[in-house]
Amino acid sequence: MASTGDNEEEYHSSPEEAEEGGGDDVDRMSFRSASNESDNDAGADDDCTYGDSDSNDDCTYGDSDSDDGLYDEYEEEGLEEVDDEGGILDEMRFTATQYAVLTMDELRARQEEHTARVADLIALPPALAAAVLRHFKWSAQGVWERWFSDERKVRNAVGLREDGSALSRAVNDATLTCYICFEVQGPGEMRSAGCAHFYCRGCWSGYVRTAVGDGVRCLSIRCPDMACSAAVVRDLVDDVADAKDAKRYGEFLVRSYVEESKRLRWCPAAGCDRAVEFDGEKCTVQLDAWCACGHGFCLACGEEAHRPVSCDTVRVWMEKNRSDSETAQWVLANTKHCPECRRPIEKNHGCMHMTCSPPCKHQFCWLCLGPWEKHDGGNFYNCNRYNEAWAEGKYTEEELRRSQAKVSVDRYLHYYERWAAHERSRQKALEDVAALGKDGSQREAVAAAFGVVETELDFLEEAFRQVAECRRMLRWTYAFGYNLDDPAKRDLFEDLQSQADKSLELLHECAEKDRKDLVAEAAGVRGAVADKYLEFRPKLSSLTAVARNHFENMARAFRDGLAEVEVDPAVAARRAAAVPPPLPKDDDDDHRFDDLRM
Ligand SMILES: [Zn+2]
Ligand SMILES: [Zn+2]
Ligand SMILES: [Zn+2]
Ligand SMILES: [Zn+2]
Ligand SMILES: [Zn+2]
Ligand SMILES: [Zn+2]
């Protein structure tokens, strides 16, 4: 088989990422569906005297020190008329319309339409035009710029005949011998890739099957004749391959369209086959996209949605989580092996007197690993071997290393556990969204307790959606906090984080505990807590708005400079090895952390 031409490389390295003249025939996702929010029931909103504020720019993050302060805020806010069209909401709507979510069928249609347009432009059959387009990474602009300036060169690189032929395949009109199997075939029984090399259908079919088995390479195959570089394109494949191979070839073609184009990205969620098309030149801007399957991911780096922190922060953090060096350090800092039975022993209290678990029960000294009975009066200061070794400087380095590793790991675990706990809480909130949403398992019971129709409960579902989104954002601030060195920024960061956290805890508690208490109080009697519902609903709606504002403020602060703090991988690596900064004070949020564990 002929190899690809020398010109191939030259073409691939050329600039070809300019804007395509793409059409817009697939519906853009609306703001609400793209950001995973449900529409409110318009009728129900009339009851809400506090106003259904979606945005309130007056709400700043530094204005409340206590839970009471936040509650005041919600009360004050309720009295204001809030302009629904302003600020944050507009910003989010703008962001969400920067991409479209496409199903497999829509992708196929998009690709065909795109190909047909280019085929018209360069007067080739669509199958050949697709080969040309693919050469330019599916950029119509790339084709436009290069085809008309040097058509011959492009034809050469793609494997089209230089004589201007537009044949994507040919059929023999005389009896010929197939030069693969050497059988003689009558007219109409053989095919070529538009060139002079005809083979029987059976040989072509096997040729295509082998190529498809090799994966995406099947899109680049050429005529089987070693001296010929004619491209084998879809028309010929559809003609000669069996249905299964032709289908797989078609799938590789769509895959190529998504994976080689700079404007498209697959949704990375397991089992999802949708793709997101960015409404610009390249998917390199940091933008969270929400797929119709519910998964959110960053268009620039492909990691899960991570607003407000940068792709760099996420990359460094995920690398840290992946590396097992921390685990190794943790083991180093916390475990030794029982000198009797070799079982790993974890030291989790200060005493040096270790007792191995049954059946061994061996008692030994943590410092010297010698039998405990040799230690006079059970005092480790009487550990002679240790004292001697210390005097000689023998144990110093190792013990120092252990204690440093312990501090380093503790600090990492502080951030990691919160990062992980917020995700667990987010998943729980998403379960509540499902249970309280349309056709949810709890919707009927809750509506009955309040004595309202089920459609009125959309505000409750929205509250949990907000909780989930806040948990997601808060989660990533811990990845950021771990790598934050600048003390000036740390103060602002921790203030933002704790304000956002407080507004979230108030919201989550109201949505979860207050609601459950009310339903329990109603004890199955329809409308038993109808009067309390009249207070509950506006309170929860306002807490939802307050939390949203706090988090949007936090996101804005990140965007306006906080996120400019350099996350240098070298610094991160050095930190793992050296003595780290002291642990953040977390006495007061320990109980909150426990709450997160569900
Ligand atoms: Zn043959
Ligand atoms: Zn050929
Ligand atoms: Zn998806
Ligand atoms: Zn990213
Ligand atoms: Zn033991
Ligand atoms: Zn000892």
Side-chain angles (χ1 to χ4, degrees):
M1 194 200 317
S3 65
T4 54
D6 290 336
N7 293 335
E8 185 95 349
E9 283 309 310
E10 205 180 314
Y11 268 93
H12 275 299
S13 58
S14 59
E16 52 209 20
E17 58 268 3
E19 171 74 24
E20 291 166 58
D24 201 15
D25 55 340
V26 176
D27 288 343
R28 300 276 157 185
M29 290 186 71
S30 70
F31 160 69
R32 283 209 177 271
S33 56
S35 62
N36 252 347
E37 291 188 32
S38 67
D39 288 324
N40 264 327
D41 179 67
D45 280 346
D46 295 338
D47 300 337
C48 178
T49 51
Y50 281 85
D52 49 351
S53 54
D54 276 320
S55 80
N56 178 3
D57 287 339
D58 296 332
C59 167
T60 54
Y61 32 80
D63 60 357
S64 59
D65 295 317
S66 65
D67 292 354
D68 288 337
L70 277 173
Y71 197 77
D72 290 345
E73 195 179 315
Y74 120 66
E75 286 178 323
E76 283 163 22
E77 183 178 80
L79 301 173
E80 287 173 25
E81 274 296 317
V82 179
D83 178 12
D84 199 27
E85 295 302 312
I88 296 161
L89 194 59
D90 265 0
E91 208 171 276
M92 289 174 73
R93 188 183 286 127
F94 173 73
T95 304
T97 52
Q98 284 184 304
Y99 62 87
V101 177
L102 304 173
T103 64
M104 209 57 169
D105 285 343
E106 287 167 337
L107 279 168
R108 237 175 249 121
R110 188 77 133 209
Q111 183 177 27
E112 271 167 28
E113 181 257 352
H114 191 158
T115 304
R117 224 174 30 238
V118 170
D120 271 356
L121 184 75
I122 60 178
L124 284 180
L128 291 183
V132 174
L133 252 176
R134 178 167 178 254
H135 182 67
F136 292 104
K137 299 198 188 309
W138 301 98
S139 159
Q141 182 74 21
V143 175
W144 173 257
E145 281 168 7
R146 308 300 293 275
W147 180 266
F148 294 106
S149 64
D150 197 347
E151 178 179 334
R152 198 170 149 269
K153 200 172 175 186
V154 178
R155 279 182 169 272
N156 234 320
V158 177
L160 310 187
R161 286 164 62 179
E162 286 180 32
D163 61 8
S165 154
L167 276 182
S168 57
R169 62 175 191 120
V171 180
N172 64 325
D173 49 15
T175 298
L176 290 172
T177 301
C178 168
Y179 280 97
I180 294 177
C181 66
F182 295 102
E183 282 190 22
V184 176
Q185 301 275 346
E189 295 301 315
M190 297 170 75
R191 301 286 182 274
S192 86
C195 57
H197 313 105
F198 290 87
Y199 303 95
C200 73
R201 298 175 69 109
C203 288
W204 268 120
S205 167
Y207 186 64
V208 170
R209 177 169 308 133
T210 307
V212 165
D214 272 1
V216 72
R217 190 189 71 83
C218 68
L219 301 180
S220 315
I221 53 175
R222 305 294 174 102
C223 168
D225 186 285
M226 294 298 277
C228 177
S229 64
V232 174
V233 295
R234 184 160 198 176
D235 287 349
L236 180 56
V237 170
D238 284 348
D239 186 4
V240 299
D242 67 28
K244 196 168 140 244
D245 291 334
K247 182 166 173 280
R248 286 192 65 197
Y249 183 90
E251 285 164 3
F252 282 122
L253 209 55
V254 177
R255 244 179 77 176
S256 146
Y257 184 60
V258 174
E259 290 166 21
E260 292 166 13
S261 159
K262 293 189 166 75
R263 300 177 56 211
L264 285 150
R265 260 188 195 276
W266 290 116
C267 168
C272 180
D273 60 4
R274 296 177 190 84
V276 168
E277 184 183 48
F278 177 58
D279 195 17
E281 288 179 14
K282 289 193 258 183
C283 291
T284 48
V285 287
Q286 189 186 319
L287 174 67
D288 286 350
W290 292 91
C291 179
C293 73
H295 183 71
F297 63 100
C298 171
L299 279 183
C301 71
E303 279 289 354
E304 59 180 277
H306 60 70
R307 199 171 69 101
V309 309
S310 72
C311 296
D312 276 351
T313 298
V314 172
R315 187 176 45 75
V316 169
W317 176 253
M318 296 309 272
E319 269 167 21
K320 177 154 198 70
N321 291 347
R322 269 189 289 270
S323 81
D324 54 5
S325 69
E326 290 289 349
T327 317
Q329 284 197 49
W330 189 86
V331 170
L332 180 69
N334 291 280
T335 59
K336 289 184 182 180
H337 292 267
C338 166
E340 200 69 17
C341 71
R342 305 303 304 158
R343 194 203 314 255
I345 307 285
E346 184 183 324
K347 177 170 162 52
N348 48 17
H349 52 91
C351 174
M352 297 299 154
H353 179 184
M354 308 304 295
T355 305
C356 186
S357 44
C360 171
K361 292 186 180 171
H362 177 63
Q363 296 185 37
F364 63 98
C365 165
W366 176 258
L367 292 175
C368 70
L369 300 179
W372 189 253
E373 62 263 23
K374 298 258 174 70
H375 292 68
D376 204 19
N379 183 342
F380 83 90
Y381 289 111
N382 291 330
C383 171
N384 292 329
R385 285 168 67 186
Y386 182 77
N387 288 343
E388 282 163 24
W390 182 273
E392 291 164 15
K394 202 167 137 199
Y395 276 121
T396 322
E397 200 182 320
E398 196 197 335
E399 287 300 330
L400 191 65
R401 210 152 52 83
R402 274 181 205 282
S403 73
Q404 283 177 358
K406 179 85 169 69
V407 176
S408 166
V409 169
D410 279 352
R411 182 172 181 279
Y412 169 62
L413 286 179
H414 170 89
Y415 288 94
Y416 181 83
E417 287 182 331
R418 280 155 182 77
W419 180 78
H422 278 296
E423 175 60 12
R424 285 195 298 274
S425 282
R426 188 177 82 93
Q427 293 301 335
K428 177 73 173 54
L430 289 174
E431 284 168 21
D432 286 320
V433 167
L436 294 160
K438 197 167 175 292
D439 302 325
S441 57
Q442 294 175 28
R443 199 168 166 100
E444 192 184 342
V446 176
F450 294 153
V452 298
V453 292
E454 289 184 29
T455 49
E456 271 214 35
L457 296 184
D458 287 347
F459 77 99
L460 199 48
E461 184 189 342
E462 194 189 335
F464 277 105
R465 282 194 194 284
Q466 189 62 50
V467 167
E469 175 63 4
C470 290
R471 294 273 178 222
R472 193 190 59 68
M473 287 171 79
L474 199 53
R475 158 177 217 239
W476 285 111
T477 65
Y478 284 97
F480 177 84
Y482 179 75
N483 284 300
L484 180 58
D485 281 327
D486 187 336
K489 290 193 175 184
R490 175 166 288 282
D491 282 349
L492 172 60
F493 163 70
E494 284 178 352
D495 189 39
L496 285 167
Q497 193 186 42
S498 87
Q499 289 299 327
D501 196 1
K502 271 180 195 159
S503 69
L504 170 58
E505 293 307 328
L506 278 180
L507 168 62
H508 207 167
E509 184 174 325
C510 181
E512 192 165 284
K513 188 169 174 301
D514 291 10
R515 174 203 28 118
K516 279 184 178 162
D517 287 353
L518 285 177
V519 172
E521 191 182 328
V525 180
R526 185 170 176 83
V529 289
D531 51 337
K532 290 185 177 164
Y533 169 74
L534 292 179
E535 289 171 24
F536 171 72
R537 181 188 160 129
K539 179 181 171 187
L540 186 63
S541 292
S542 281
L543 286 175
T544 304
V546 168
R548 180 184 294 132
N549 287 337
H550 270 294
F551 277 79
E552 289 307 323
N553 275 328
M554 184 175 77
R556 201 174 295 125
F558 266 76
R559 207 180 46 211
D560 295 345
L562 203 56
E564 283 168 15
V565 177
E566 287 283 313
V567 178
D568 182 352
V571 171
R574 208 164 57 235
R575 173 173 299 125
V579 180
L583 274 173
K585 293 190 290 289
D586 62 347
D587 307 343
D588 59 340
D589 61 13
D590 267 350
H591 71 280
R592 204 188 313 147
F593 180 44
D594 290 340
D595 291 345
L596 287 175
R597 289 172 181 271
M598 295 299 147

